[in-house]
Amino acid sequence: MIEVEIYAAGVRQLEKILELDHEFEAVAGLRYKIDSNHDIVYLDFEEPTMTIQEIRAVFRKLGLEPRIVGGVPPELNPKSKTQPLRVGGL
C-alpha cells in the first residue's frame, strides 16, 4: 500500500470535490478520501500508477496548489531512464 497525504487549500468547495472525483475515478487501484474540514486529500495506491508530478498536475489543473504532507513515497518518484556515468580512478 502506497499512501500520500496532500494539503490543497480550497479543496473543500463542492465543485472542487466533484472535479477531483472525476479526475481520480479513472485511476486504477486508487482509493482516496477528502477531509473537507481541513483541505486534505488522502490517496492510497495498490501500485504506483501515478507519479507525484502527475498527482500535482491533477490538482493544479483544478486551480489548487497541492502540498505534500510528510515524505513522498519513493515508488511515486519518476524513475530515471539514464544512469550516471562513473569515471574510474578519479
Side-chain angles (χ1 to χ4, degrees):
M1 180 78 55
I2 303 165
E3 299 176 347
V4 180
E5 188 174 324
I6 299 172
Y7 170 79
V11 78
R12 67 180 67 192
Q13 299 170 6
L14 181 58
E15 67 188 51
K16 298 296 181 186
I17 292 172
L18 294 174
E19 290 172 347
L20 198 60
D21 182 57
H22 179 70
E23 292 292 327
F24 284 146
E25 70 184 354
V27 179
L30 171 65
R31 289 183 299 276
Y32 63 94
K33 177 182 173 186
I34 299 171
D35 179 348
S36 59
N37 292 326
H38 300 100
D39 287 333
I40 293 182
V41 179
Y42 302 95
L43 303 173
D44 292 330
F45 293 91
E46 292 177 14
E47 299 177 6
T49 53
M50 295 178 83
T51 65
I52 200 67
Q53 287 80 7
E54 292 169 330
I55 294 168
R56 285 182 172 133
V58 168
F59 282 88
R60 288 186 178 129
K61 178 180 175 182
L62 303 179
L64 300 168
E65 186 57 39
R67 297 200 174 144
I68 308 303
V69 178
V72 175
E75 300 91 345
L76 299 183
N77 282 320
K79 305 288 188 248
S80 174
K81 295 185 184 204
T82 61
Q83 294 183 1
L85 294 175
R86 300 184 194 270
V87 179
L90 294 180

